[in-house]
Amino acid sequence: MSAIYENTTISIELADRLRAMPKIELHVHLEGATDAATVWELAQRNKVTPPVARLEEWQAMYAFRDFNHFLDVYGFAMQCMQTADDFTFMVERFLAEQARQNVRYCEVFLSASFMLDNFPQDEVIAVLTEGIKHGKEKYDIELRFIPDIGRQVPETRHKVLDFVLKGFEKGIFIGLGLGGMEVGFPPKLFTDVYDEARRQGLHLLAHAGETVGPESVWGAINDLKVERIGHGVRSAEDPKLLEYLAETQTPLEVCPHSNYRLGVTPLDEPHQMRALVDAGVFCTVNSDDPPMFSTDLTSEYLLFAKQGFSWDELWQLNLNAIKASFLTDEEKEAYRAEWKEFYAKVDK
Ligand code: ADE
Ligand code: ZN
């Protein structure tokens, strides 16, 4: 059965605009932005034994049966990323891909719970600092990193917070995130480190309302007091939550291909984005783990265009990313000026 979102066509003019427009991405994982062939290369380089014998079989594993299968593949990919050079290489490939799509600024998650046993922390921080500098010089792209705690390993939370604080002092980490297995690991388990992170001035985020329903989003709001929600699409199941999100204008980082590929949104239904936007919820468009879901940021906008979102609505979602970012007011103004210049050129 073909997915409903693949059934419609859009004008070439709209597709071209979506490709060309400058963009900001607020929800993308560095490890998940590394494609299957690169992971395979890293496995050979670091002498990690893959679960299958050939690259084609490894690529075939990216057709995820469910969220747990996705986490298994993601977990193996992370085991292959072992040295500072690996991260330099991954950041370079990530930047080249973002530049190709006219992405101008990214807030990038790092799966810190799983990285910290492989690396001396100072080495990771040094490599990422260099990556930020390189992004600016070679691609004119700004990057900031947000290490996250893997929910399924709550015992790593203090170590991750220490790591975040180290990079925060140096200006490369801007916040603390929470990812991984939502089922069985509620936000409450992490209240202590979120309280401390807030005291230290970090921005606070969490994936919620992806594989668990509205109660997980309520938990992220009430127990962790997050500023933005990763996904949050299952908020559409709770009218009171929709009302709350609209009233507070709490941003959601929506990643539609991820939702379809992981079964969060049924393939034969339109994405929850329509219900969220119509309820007045503040949404942004993002790609999550792009090559793992055969997508990129442009394709996420194209998907919504194919589901009937107008140019004006898509442009508004693109503007929303500036507002929801953790940039300073001055930096936001500079991006708004750039967006305005593009808009004036195409919307005559
Ligand atoms: N880590 C990487 N991608 C994720 C997702 N979609 N949900 C939770 N954790 C993740
Ligand atoms: Zn994510």
Side-chain angles (χ1 to χ4, degrees), residues 27 29 109 207 210 231 255 288-289:
H27 188 123
H29 300 258
F109 289 115
H207 287 65
E210 183 188 19
H231 300 282
C255 314
D288 207 11
D289 305 292

Side-chain angles (χ1 to χ4, degrees), residues 249-319:
Q249 292 289 283
T250 306
L252 302 192
E253 302 148 5
V254 180
C255 314
H257 276 100
S258 165
N259 297 154
Y260 281 113
R261 303 266 189 262
L262 297 178
V264 172
T265 307
L267 278 175
D268 57 354
E269 287 181 18
H271 192 267
Q272 292 93 332
M273 185 69 131
R274 174 49 70 201
L276 295 166
V277 167
D278 286 356
V281 177
F282 191 100
C283 294
T284 62
V285 178
N286 304 275
S287 67
D288 207 11
D289 305 292
M292 299 190 78
F293 303 129
S294 307
T295 190
D296 56 31
L297 185 57
T298 303
S299 302
E300 306 294 358
Y301 280 98
L302 289 169
L303 179 149
F304 288 129
K306 289 176 191 168
Q307 293 198 1
F309 279 74
S310 67
W311 161 246
D312 284 348
E313 286 180 307
L314 295 165
W315 181 251
Q316 184 58 52
L317 290 165
N318 190 26
L319 278 170

Side-chain angles (χ1 to χ4, degrees), residues 128-297:
L128 298 174
T129 305
E130 195 47 45
I132 290 175
K133 197 162 148 246
H134 178 66
K136 213 184 294 190
E137 286 170 4
K138 181 166 174 191
Y139 296 102
D140 194 21
I141 292 181
E142 285 286 346
L143 290 186
R144 295 291 177 270
F145 293 100
I146 302 175
D148 71 16
I149 303 168
R151 286 175 185 259
Q152 63 274 34
V153 282
E155 65 279 8
T156 63
R157 67 194 187 283
H158 296 290
K159 197 151 101 176
V160 172
L161 178 60
D162 289 345
F163 175 59
V164 181
L165 289 171
K166 248 190 216 172
F168 182 51
E169 265 174 37
K170 298 199 155 68
I172 64 159
F173 296 161
I174 54 174
L176 175 67
L178 184 65
M181 183 98 72
E182 204 176 347
V183 175
F185 297 93
K188 246 191 178 28
L189 296 175
F190 305 92
T191 304
D192 54 357
V193 282
Y194 271 72
D195 285 346
E196 182 55 23
R198 191 177 316 104
R199 273 194 290 275
Q200 299 283 345
L202 289 170
H203 289 294
L204 303 177
L205 309 94
H207 287 65
E210 183 188 19
T211 49
V212 176
E215 69 272 26
S216 178
V217 180
W218 282 121
I221 292 165
N222 294 324
D223 299 330
L224 307 182
K225 303 188 173 40
V226 295
E227 294 159 79
R228 293 197 317 238
I229 308 277
H231 300 282
V233 295
R234 298 205 35 204
S235 306
E237 297 165 22
D238 177 350
K240 281 219 156 43
L241 179 55
L242 284 179
E243 218 172 279
Y244 173 88
L245 292 171
E247 203 176 293
T248 54
Q249 292 289 283
T250 306
L252 302 192
E253 302 148 5
V254 180
C255 314
H257 276 100
S258 165
N259 297 154
Y260 281 113
R261 303 266 189 262
L262 297 178
V264 172
T265 307
L267 278 175
D268 57 354
E269 287 181 18
H271 192 267
Q272 292 93 332
M273 185 69 131
R274 174 49 70 201
L276 295 166
V277 167
D278 286 356
V281 177
F282 191 100
C283 294
T284 62
V285 178
N286 304 275
S287 67
D288 207 11
D289 305 292
M292 299 190 78
F293 303 129
S294 307
T295 190
D296 56 31
L297 185 57

Side-chain angles (χ1 to χ4, degrees), residues 37-209:
T38 304
V39 172
W40 191 259
E41 218 176 304
L42 295 177
Q44 313 300 312
R45 194 197 282 183
N46 294 322
K47 306 206 177 347
V48 179
T49 308
V52 286
R54 292 180 310 123
L55 170 60
E56 295 71 33
E57 293 170 88
W58 171 243
Q59 282 166 326
M61 286 182 73
Y62 281 53
F64 306 113
R65 288 187 302 278
D66 51 30
F67 188 79
N68 287 353
H69 179 209
F70 160 73
L71 277 191
D72 287 347
V73 172
Y74 196 91
F76 176 75
M78 285 189 296
Q79 279 175 39
C80 300
M81 303 163 184
Q82 296 196 352
T83 69
D85 282 351
D86 295 344
F87 274 76
T88 301
F89 182 55
M90 287 156 58
V91 170
E92 166 58 30
R93 288 210 170 169
F94 174 72
L95 284 164
E97 173 56 18
Q98 297 299 79
R100 184 187 64 76
Q101 299 181 72
N102 302 312
V103 180
R104 305 279 297 114
Y105 170 71
C106 313
E107 295 178 359
V108 186
F109 289 115
L110 296 171
S111 300
S113 285
F114 306 96
M115 158 200 285
L116 295 180
D117 290 336
N118 287 345
F119 279 112
Q121 298 190 6
D122 291 338
E123 210 171 282
V124 189
I125 290 173
V127 160
L128 298 174
T129 305
E130 195 47 45
I132 290 175
K133 197 162 148 246
H134 178 66
K136 213 184 294 190
E137 286 170 4
K138 181 166 174 191
Y139 296 102
D140 194 21
I141 292 181
E142 285 286 346
L143 290 186
R144 295 291 177 270
F145 293 100
I146 302 175
D148 71 16
I149 303 168
R151 286 175 185 259
Q152 63 274 34
V153 282
E155 65 279 8
T156 63
R157 67 194 187 283
H158 296 290
K159 197 151 101 176
V160 172
L161 178 60
D162 289 345
F163 175 59
V164 181
L165 289 171
K166 248 190 216 172
F168 182 51
E169 265 174 37
K170 298 199 155 68
I172 64 159
F173 296 161
I174 54 174
L176 175 67
L178 184 65
M181 183 98 72
E182 204 176 347
V183 175
F185 297 93
K188 246 191 178 28
L189 296 175
F190 305 92
T191 304
D192 54 357
V193 282
Y194 271 72
D195 285 346
E196 182 55 23
R198 191 177 316 104
R199 273 194 290 275
Q200 299 283 345
L202 289 170
H203 289 294
L204 303 177
L205 309 94
H207 287 65

